Amino acid sequence: MIAELISVGTEILLGNIVNTNANYLARKCAELGITNYYQVSVGDNEERLAAAINAALTRSDLLILTGGLGPTKDDLTKEVTAKVLNKKIIEDSHTKDRIKEYFTRKKGLEITENNWKQALIIEGSTVVDNPNGTAPGLIVETEDGKIIILLPGPPNELEPMFQEAIFPYLNKLQPGVLYSEMIKICGIGESKAETMIQDLITHQTNPTIAPYAKTGEVHLRITASASDMTEGKALVKPVVEELEKRFSTHIYTNKEEENLEDVVVNLLAKHKLTITTAESCTGGLLTGRLVNVPGASEVLDEGFITYSNEAKEKYLNVSHKTLESYGAVSRETAVEMARGACENIEDNKINDNSVACDTGINNSHSRKTSLAITGIAGPGGGSEEKPVGTVYIGCMVNGHVRVKKYQFKGNRQKVREYAVINGLDLLRTSIIEEFE
């Protein structure tokens, strides 16, 4: 079965909203083993919407339209679809009763005349109740075997409706499934990652491996075509195990919904650690990524943005001599930023030539960790010795400071994003090395 997704709404074309519905539905179609060749976005215009539907009917078996089912005049999806199919629009008493019940529950809301527009359906369609709103979904099966599904635009209405009603409906029509798993990798570039699995890709049939490059990360999707989910899992399992052997601790998760910051926060919580951040060129971007994670308050202690040398001295106890001798962007400064963030005693010494060393941290601070970033994000400020993109990241875990030097490419924002991702990965691997 070939599916086509049609997202309706001028606000999508203007960039006023992000089209998360297409992303969600594409993933669900893949899960069902439904092929998706086309995704179309069209504004609230009758002529252009009709053209999009007609084009889709010539090349796809399943059309899923989202949006345009509201009560206002510019909500045209239902009416245009009926016109293309040469079907009538009729009132559905069941939906009308549900709209009445919805407004009764929402005390203080008054039913306006245009709300009854949502009780109108396409003749011969199957109504899909909407427990989270007033616009029902519709399933239309045409005489020539096409299926058109209309879903409301708000994701908090669309996703439950699809999962509870549309997914089981489509699943019954499918002879097989596509089962996939995701492996997410940090610390290895896309070219190297692909080289490491080139033999697997060259000889692959079923399942297949597809690499995706993300900022500072590589994601590998392993997909198998199978008769059911059990067979799919069995086909994917040996491939996943082989990838785990090859990439080892560079794999930070095999959960599609999990991000790097989720893994880091969970690791900190697992080992009862707290984190203090010390940022220069990233200016709070690192701390913001951690705060994105629910439960971050359990592990995030403090965050310092020490952009100037004076701030580094004042808040992190970076010595004036270090800044004068080596500069703000240096291994030595990164060490002192990480150590200062963890409130180490002043007389701790560190071997400047080592990547990891014992700082002699006091036992009272043994559960504290820190992550410090200092670098040149550009576009100016670089030199021949320290070009734009030079970043030092220091991390202290279990009384040991690790420092890594990076040379990132890209504009100012890219350098900052790369610094955050590599900083999180350094913290992740440091915790694993120390505690696991």
Side-chain angles (χ1 to χ4, degrees):
M1 182 183 292
I2 298 173
E4 184 155 344
L5 309 181
I6 303 177
S7 305
V8 183
T10 303
E11 65 275 14
I12 296 173
L13 299 179
L14 294 175
N16 292 335
I17 63 169
V18 177
N19 188 6
T20 58
N21 288 340
N23 174 273
Y24 172 82
L25 292 171
R27 287 188 284 112
K28 288 299 177 182
C29 284
E31 190 176 328
L32 286 160
I34 297 173
T35 304
N36 177 209
Y37 286 156
Y38 299 96
Q39 295 182 15
V40 177
S41 294
V42 60
D44 300 306
N45 177 278
E46 182 175 347
E47 183 179 341
R48 288 190 285 274
L49 178 54
I53 295 171
N54 277 313
L57 286 170
T58 65
R59 61 196 181 195
S60 302
D61 308 304
L62 168 66
L63 281 62
I64 304 178
L65 288 85
T66 60
L69 299 182
T72 60
K73 288 183 179 180
D74 63 345
D75 291 309
L76 302 168
T77 302
K78 189 167 42 185
E79 291 76 10
V80 173
T81 303
K83 189 173 182 180
V84 168
L85 297 176
N86 197 26
K87 290 182 176 289
K88 295 179 182 179
I89 291 288
I90 61 174
E91 185 176 271
D92 179 55
S93 58
H94 169 74
T95 302
K96 190 170 184 177
D97 289 340
R98 286 185 61 84
I99 292 173
K100 289 178 184 177
E101 291 172 8
Y102 179 87
F103 278 92
T104 300
R105 293 196 308 271
K106 299 284 184 178
K107 295 180 180 179
L109 287 180
E110 182 181 350
I111 302 179
T112 57
E113 191 59 35
N114 59 359
N115 284 122
W116 300 123
K117 178 175 181 285
Q118 294 180 302
L120 301 177
I121 66 169
I122 298 173
E123 181 184 24
S125 63
T126 300
V127 175
V128 182
D129 289 339
N130 182 355
N132 301 295
T134 53
L138 298 177
I139 300 173
V140 185
E141 298 178 353
T142 68
E143 293 178 0
D144 57 353
K146 305 285 185 177
I147 300 171
I148 303 177
I149 298 175
L150 278 60
L151 298 173
N156 63 344
E157 298 179 27
L158 178 147
E159 293 181 16
M161 183 183 293
F162 190 92
Q163 192 61 41
E164 294 166 17
I166 306 302
F167 190 98
Y169 165 78
L170 293 174
N171 194 35
K172 290 179 181 178
L173 304 178
Q174 281 300 99
V177 299
L178 286 180
Y179 176 77
S180 68
E181 291 187 21
M182 178 75 81
I183 284 180
K184 298 184 180 182
I185 299 166
C186 253
I188 296 180
E190 181 187 17
S191 298
K192 183 177 179 181
E194 189 169 352
T195 300
M196 289 173 66
I197 58 171
Q198 190 58 55
D199 60 316
L200 299 178
I201 293 176
T202 300
H203 299 101
Q204 66 186 7
T205 52
N206 184 36
T208 58
I209 305 171
Y212 301 92
K214 304 289 182 180
T215 302
E217 302 181 24
V218 178
H219 296 179
L220 302 176
R221 180 178 291 282
I222 307 93
T223 304
S225 176
S227 58
D228 54 36
M229 297 292 279
T230 302
E231 183 189 2
K233 289 180 181 179
L235 288 169
V236 165
K237 184 180 178 181
V239 179
V240 169
E241 289 175 347
E242 180 61 28
L243 293 173
E244 287 173 344
K245 288 179 185 177
R246 298 190 185 195
F247 291 104
S248 186
T249 56
H250 288 292
I251 297 174
Y252 71 83
T253 188
N254 58 5
K255 298 176 182 177
E256 186 156 4
E257 70 281 1
E258 196 168 47
N259 297 316
L260 182 56
E261 56 266 36
D262 298 316
V263 173
V264 169
V265 168
N266 290 337
L267 268 176
L268 288 164
K270 175 182 176 181
H271 296 289
K272 295 181 171 54
L273 301 169
T274 61
I275 178 73
T276 298
T277 58
E279 302 183 63
S280 185
C281 64
T282 48
L285 199 61
L286 166 64
T287 310
R289 282 284 289 266
L290 292 171
V291 172
N292 284 341
V293 182
S297 59
E298 299 298 318
V299 299
L300 180 57
D301 195 1
E302 294 177 278
F304 295 95
I305 300 175
T306 54
Y307 208 68
S308 68
N309 285 358
E310 292 78 9
K312 291 178 179 66
E313 292 182 45
K314 180 178 179 181
Y315 296 108
L316 301 174
N317 294 322
V318 177
S319 75
H320 186 74
K321 183 178 179 181
T322 297
L323 292 166
E324 273 193 339
S325 301
Y326 302 103
V329 181
S330 64
R331 177 181 297 276
E332 292 76 12
T333 296
V335 167
E336 293 192 22
M337 287 174 68
R339 188 171 59 193
C342 264
E343 302 174 339
N344 282 334
I345 54 177
E346 293 181 1
D347 61 349
N348 287 332
K349 304 297 181 181
I350 187 165
N351 182 346
D352 292 339
N353 296 320
S354 65
V355 174
C357 66
D358 195 336
T359 61
I361 188 169
N362 188 289
N363 286 337
S364 64
H365 296 154
S366 61
R367 307 312 291 178
K368 287 191 173 185
T369 67
S370 67
L371 191 56
I373 300 177
T374 180
I376 305 168
S383 65
E384 187 174 342
E385 182 185 355
K386 298 176 183 178
V388 170
T390 303
V391 176
Y392 287 90
I393 303 176
C395 175
M396 192 173 82
V397 176
N398 200 31
H400 295 84
V401 174
R402 293 166 175 82
V403 178
K404 284 192 176 183
K405 178 185 177 181
Y406 299 88
Q407 190 61 56
F408 300 126
K409 302 294 183 183
N411 60 25
R412 183 178 179 84
Q413 186 61 23
K414 279 292 182 185
V415 169
R416 296 172 70 233
E417 289 175 0
Y418 280 124
V420 168
I421 289 168
N422 282 275
L424 289 170
D425 195 48
L426 178 58
L427 176 60
R428 179 186 71 87
T429 55
S430 297
I431 293 172
I432 291 171
E433 287 174 19
E434 291 292 338
F435 297 104
E436 298 186 359

